[in-house]
Amino acid sequence: MSELISTIVNCKTARKILEADDKSNLRINSSHMTVEALLSLLDELKSTLEHIPLVYIDLQGAKMRLSRQQSQYDVSTDSTVYIIPEKEFLERKDLLKAFKDIIIIEDLAFDVLSSSLPDKLLIDDGKIVLSEPKFNKKYDIGAISAIVSVGGTLRPRKGINASPHPLSGGKLNPRDKKIVEASAKFPFVAYALSFCQTAEGIEHLRHTAESIRGSSVKIAAKIELPLSHDILCDIACVSDSMWLCRGDLGSQLGLSGLGKYFYEYTHSLPFTYGKPSQAHDTPRDMSCEHILAGEVLDHMVSNPLPTRSEACHVSEHVRNGKFDGLVLSNETAYGKYVKEVVTMARELIISFKTKHERFVFAGLIFSLIGDIFLQHSIDKFIPGLLSFACAHVCYCIAFSSVAKSKSRLADILIPAIPSILIMIPFVKTLFNTSLWWLLFFMAGYCFVLASAMWRSFCLLKKTKGANWFGFVGMIFFSTSDIILSVERFILSGILKGHPIMETIIISTYWLAQCFVSHSLVPELPLFISWFSDVKKFRDMYNKRILNIDNIEAVKQSKPIDEKEQ
Ligand SMILES: Nc1ncnc2c1ncn2[C@@H]1O[C@H](COP(=O)(O)OP(=O)(O)O)[C@@H](O)[C@H]1O
Ligand SMILES: C=C(OP(=O)(O)O)C(=O)O
């Protein structure tokens, strides 16, 4: 099932979200709260929630932000504003708080921006744009003045973008480090690192978190700058997931640039952005989970339904396997329709049978046909074998719909080599017999079985070991088939019908089918989930069919004009 991550500001929002979708994970943006407030929110979640999901703490990393001291006010287009560092504001607060034309930013951001003034500054994902920044001595402070080319409402802690981005993301900054150290005692916490720029940044975070916790920690890299394909591949190697954050990326690249980057990212195209990729001996890919973030269902911040484009875009990209989940930000942090947006997001990502599900189902049907043939007698062996070969082709398609290998050559060679090796004893035994022609069918069968195993390994690799079920299933499959063929052709059926042999063949076969099917729901506990979660799944399904929440929301909503009057 796809991952849904919903941003919360307090325990109340968390409860609302989980009421609408108890499988949603949560996200807390640490930049919008003090470290103490963050820790007490984690404590509250732990003590009040019945079931606590994964909670991502979003770390500021190398993101630049307005100060917490910034007051909320509107800046109008064409006016002049003065950007000052937080420390100056704090020193002269009594005088400065009366002025409505100052923008207070974090000291580090002020220092890096002063050392090389950018052409433009974008605040709050580009909702406010400042042009022509220059040094100015306003209020006797070394300020940066700028013209407001797009006006809007300033709010504390909103993000600032300049291109090129002036802060490099190396080791954790002191505040993020303190947060990681203090939150390590909560086993349900994962981390998302903002403005991630290198694999080293993620490695440092992982090392810090895991050495304190003493166990593995899930880490997401937030991609908010146009990084090159090579760097993305490096980051993918050390991260559990990468979040494509289109809010900041859109500010960095402009909207048409974002469209182009999005296309290249989702098609893993090399060298358009950043430095050209270096030549590598082995093909490189961005194998890890990919999560779509930034204005995913933004229309629902103030409307009960998303736009058609949002609904189609989300469905398309989760369905075609480009993304493994979604982050909801403003939609749940301060949107008016928290429950509706969470329900809608879940519907959009499960409201169809994915290719993975459809082909696992088809594989099970072919296996059933194969079982019926093999139940009869030896002369139905070939139809049985062909049915199971079709089942493995279906499993191949199912696994590769989620995790494709990048190399066609590997797709052929890796399954071919073990198939040839396995065939050697059978060739020796059957070659000079009247059953020699069976060897062709058996070789073909071995190849499709090994291909399905290879594709299940790609899935295991892409999910960094989290979805190992398909691979283990295919190992059981091969074990069952090898024992069956050795017993039938090499030992000439002398053990046929022996209860121990039959038990091993049938139990490995059933375990294989169970594990392959479980690869569809890797987040649920093995086997038990099939029984304990039936009701929840049925409720979710009924809700989807009847669309109850959304019908209610539409009925209750008034036209925009009416609301504004
Ligand atoms: N813990 C919080 N307290 C108050 N407001 C918050 C909090 N978290 C998020 N918000 C609000 O929701 C908005 C969207 O959240 P998020 O996407 O995490 O922020 P940002 O875009 O600033 O990184 C924030 O800009 C802020 O206005
Ligand atoms: C999700 C994003 O990150 P943040 O919420 O930190 O702005 C984004 O930039 O789209």
Side-chain angles (χ1 to χ4, degrees), residues 359 363 387-400 448-449 451-452:
F359 279 86
S387 304
F388 278 109
C390 291
H392 295 316
V393 171
C394 290
Y395 293 153
C396 269
I397 301 173
F399 296 135
S400 18
V448 285
L449 175 62
S451 298

Side-chain angles (χ1 to χ4, degrees), residues 226-230 253 257 260-261 263-265 268-277:
L227 305 176
S228 72
H229 179 68
D230 250 4
L253 296 167
K260 188 163 178 260
Y261 190 74
Y263 180 81
E264 292 177 349
Y265 183 96
S268 288
L269 297 182
F271 35 76
T272 306
Y273 283 92
K275 280 187 256 145
S277 295

Side-chain angles (χ1 to χ4, degrees), residues 64-73 81-93 96-107 109-110 123 130 141 144 154-158 160:
M64 298 189 294
R65 285 188 181 270
L66 298 187
S67 156
R68 200 161 276 122
Q69 305 298 326
Q70 177 68 55
S71 55
Q72 177 169 331
Y73 73 93
V81 284
Y82 298 90
I83 302 166
I84 59 167
E86 192 174 59
K87 58 178 185 277
E88 297 286 0
F89 176 81
L90 290 174
E91 263 171 35
R92 309 189 45 204
K93 205 169 176 175
L96 292 174
K97 70 179 179 202
F99 297 103
K100 281 287 176 208
D101 54 358
I102 55 172
I103 297 183
I104 313 156
I105 70 175
E106 290 175 324
D107 296 339
F110 187 86
I123 297 174
L130 308 180
I141 291 174
I144 297 172
L154 284 169
R155 291 190 178 87
R157 300 302 287 154
K158 287 291 180 187
I160 310 169

